[in-house]
Amino acid sequence: MSNKSFQDYNQPDKGGHYGPYGGKFVPETLIPVLAELETVYRDALKDESFVREFDGLMKDYVGRPSPLYYAERLTKALGGPEIYLKREDLCHTGAHKINNALGQVLLAKRMGKKRIIAETGAGQHGVATATVAARFGMECVVYMGEVDMQRQALNVYRMRLMGTEVRPVTAGQRTLKEAVSEAIRDWVANSRTTHYILGSALGPHPFPMMVRDFQSCIGREARAQILEKTGCLPDLLVACVGGGSNSIGLFHPFIKDESVRMVGVEAGGRGFAIGEHAARFSGGRLGILQGNRSYVLQDENGQIALTHSISAGLDYAAVGPEHAFLNDIKRVEYERVSDDEALEGFKALSRLEGIIPALESSHAVGWALKAFPSLKKGSLAIINISGRGDKDIDQIRERLHV
Ligand SMILES: *Cc1c(COP(=O)(O)O)cnc(C)c1O
């Protein structure tokens, strides 16, 4: 594909590849399970009753469409583009994760599976999964690294309140990567009865495609909303990139609109040394982690690197394969924002707009603080506020001493 035209963008291929990225790198026993999932998913999309149930719950249970809000005071403060915020923080459970969890629980139901498992980092995906499992009366186990359980104690309790068992993972760095490994292990052993609701645009095909499709409501709504409010397409989209689901959800419906610039913001952490950040595009290279090929942070021997971010949801060594491809074809730019810069974003949005964002989303705002003052005044920007900040309050209190 030429770098100039994205009109024929159509990813992934039949095998789930996005150029050299993606695919299915899983134990043999999961190959037929993934094939079944893909078939059921493709059939469901063509089934009117499935689509009607999904759309109905998105509206009345999740609260979609989420608003597109004109951030007047943030716009004035930065003096650049007119800033619109896509308010995924207002979704049921407080983040975009519920969009995907709802889609996948309906697929589990369609497959006749009664047990749900998931992994979680920030706890938001665990909460979203616990929520839909309760809604559909399914047994639910969520794997979570011990360190993340401490960082996100509120979300652990929310999951338990809804009847989910949260299993602490004590291996390795005790964060998201180890939790994903445990969830995959459980799935290999129990796939006949169990569906694994993977939480980001990651893992083996068809997950990156399916998660993207379930999250693309963000971009489809944003597109219609900004056209209605301004009569124009946006000039710029900004979203934070952990595994890559809220960002691909916003970006995907705009990929063919070549006038729309897109920026994905990764966790720059405390510095540039390996282990101090989770910026896969500035520090990673081609590798395989947990089911697919993508940009992966690794040491010179190919060992998966340690990562750091102030936000658990961005703290992961790999990035979704479609982002790796979008980076290669230069359709999306990937930038890094440090812990401190994210905190500036957190403070700015809280004080200027009365919106307390998740630390993940604060990275997108943090980039805007740096970049927007030198961008064209009057142009249109959309920042995705992927979640609300309640879950991060204890951590914030330690850092900001407000
Ligand atoms: C999980 C999470 C993220 C990061 O995950 P993506 O798949 O990259 O979207 C970002 N923001 C919030 C609020 C989250 O909960």
Side-chain angles (χ1 to χ4, degrees), residues 19-155:
Y21 307 106
K24 299 181 196 185
F25 296 86
V26 293
E28 200 61 38
T29 46
L30 286 184
I31 295 291
V33 181
L34 292 167
E36 182 203 10
L37 179 59
E38 185 174 355
T39 304
V40 168
Y41 173 61
R42 291 191 188 279
D43 286 350
L45 291 187
K46 288 182 241 148
D47 178 350
E48 245 175 67
S49 70
F50 179 90
V51 174
R52 204 178 318 118
E53 185 173 15
F54 181 59
D55 288 349
L57 287 164
M58 284 290 247
K59 179 166 174 281
D60 296 331
Y61 190 66
V62 175
R64 305 209 69 89
S66 67
L68 185 75
Y69 163 73
Y70 174 57
E72 189 181 342
R73 295 192 69 225
L74 185 63
T75 297
K76 277 222 179 78
L78 299 188
E82 301 287 305
I83 302 170
Y84 288 83
L85 306 177
K86 183 62 174 156
R87 299 291 309 276
E88 292 302 296
D89 59 309
L90 294 177
C91 294
H92 181 40
T93 71
H96 68 291
K97 296 273 175 19
I98 188 91
N99 304 324
N100 167 54
L102 179 63
Q104 288 201 45
V105 84
L106 288 173
L107 293 178
K109 189 176 100 172
R110 202 175 168 89
M111 290 184 288
K113 296 192 177 174
K114 299 211 162 42
R115 181 172 176 266
I116 297 293
I117 56 171
E119 84 298 334
T120 196
Q124 284 304 112
H125 175 57
V127 167
T129 302
T131 300
V132 298
R135 168 64 184 75
F136 286 90
M138 294 189 191
E139 181 190 342
C140 184
V141 173
V142 170
Y143 291 94
M144 191 167 186
E146 247 184 359
V147 169
D148 289 338
M149 283 180 73
Q150 281 160 17
R151 286 197 279 200
Q152 305 291 344
L154 177 67
N155 274 343

Side-chain angles (χ1 to χ4, degrees), residues 101-373:
L102 179 63
Q104 288 201 45
V105 84
L106 288 173
L107 293 178
K109 189 176 100 172
R110 202 175 168 89
M111 290 184 288
K113 296 192 177 174
K114 299 211 162 42
R115 181 172 176 266
I116 297 293
I117 56 171
E119 84 298 334
T120 196
Q124 284 304 112
H125 175 57
V127 167
T129 302
T131 300
V132 298
R135 168 64 184 75
F136 286 90
M138 294 189 191
E139 181 190 342
C140 184
V141 173
V142 170
Y143 291 94
M144 191 167 186
E146 247 184 359
V147 169
D148 289 338
M149 283 180 73
Q150 281 160 17
R151 286 197 279 200
Q152 305 291 344
L154 177 67
N155 274 343
V156 172
Y157 193 58
R158 288 166 82 197
M159 288 185 258
R160 288 184 175 147
L161 283 175
M162 290 183 282
T164 280
E165 181 195 342
V166 183
R167 285 196 192 155
V169 177
T170 55
Q173 217 181 346
R174 294 174 290 154
T175 61
L176 183 58
K177 177 166 71 71
E178 293 79 20
V180 175
S181 294
E182 277 310 308
I184 293 174
R185 205 164 296 149
D186 183 319
W187 205 30
V188 168
N190 300 302
S191 61
R192 208 173 43 79
T193 58
T194 299
H195 177 61
Y196 174 18
I197 301 192
L198 207 148
S200 189
L202 278 171
H205 182 66
F207 283 109
M209 172 183 79
M210 240 169 45
V211 176
R212 172 197 76 196
D213 294 350
F214 287 136
Q215 293 293 0
S216 290
C217 54
I218 301 172
R220 282 196 307 272
E221 288 172 8
R223 188 190 173 89
Q225 288 166 322
I226 198 146
L227 281 171
E228 194 199 308
K229 283 178 198 291
T230 70
C232 301
L233 283 177
D235 299 291
L236 173 61
L237 305 175
V238 186
C240 66
V241 185
S245 71
N246 85 87
S247 49
I248 200 73
L250 177 65
F251 296 165
H252 196 255
F254 293 95
I255 283 179
K256 294 182 184 179
D257 300 303
E258 306 196 12
S259 65
V260 181
R261 180 183 174 200
M262 304 181 187
V263 174
V265 182
E266 298 185 285
R270 293 180 292 233
F272 285 79
I274 198 108
E276 296 295 306
H277 64 84
R280 290 69 45 108
F281 288 113
S282 46
R285 57 196 160 82
L286 192 64
I288 294 170
L289 180 62
Q290 297 173 330
N292 78 95
R293 185 188 278 128
S294 186
Y295 278 73
V296 180
L297 288 168
Q298 47 198 307
D299 68 15
E300 58 280 11
N301 303 318
Q303 291 288 345
I304 303 306
L306 300 183
T307 51
H308 163 81
S309 171
I310 190 172
S311 70
L314 304 185
D315 197 351
Y316 187 64
V319 65
E322 190 158 13
H323 286 286
F325 184 67
L326 290 167
N327 176 67
D328 279 12
I329 65 170
K330 299 189 162 55
R331 181 64 188 96
V332 178
E333 299 155 50
Y334 294 87
E335 302 281 352
R336 53 192 292 160
V337 157
S338 70
D339 289 353
D340 289 341
E341 291 166 339
L343 284 168
E344 291 306 313
F346 180 93
K347 283 194 276 187
L349 205 63
S350 301
R351 291 182 189 174
L352 290 171
E353 297 291 346
I355 296 170
I356 298 178
L359 279 172
E360 290 81 5
S361 324
S362 300
H363 283 71
V365 181
W367 187 75
L369 296 188
K370 289 199 290 186
F372 279 23

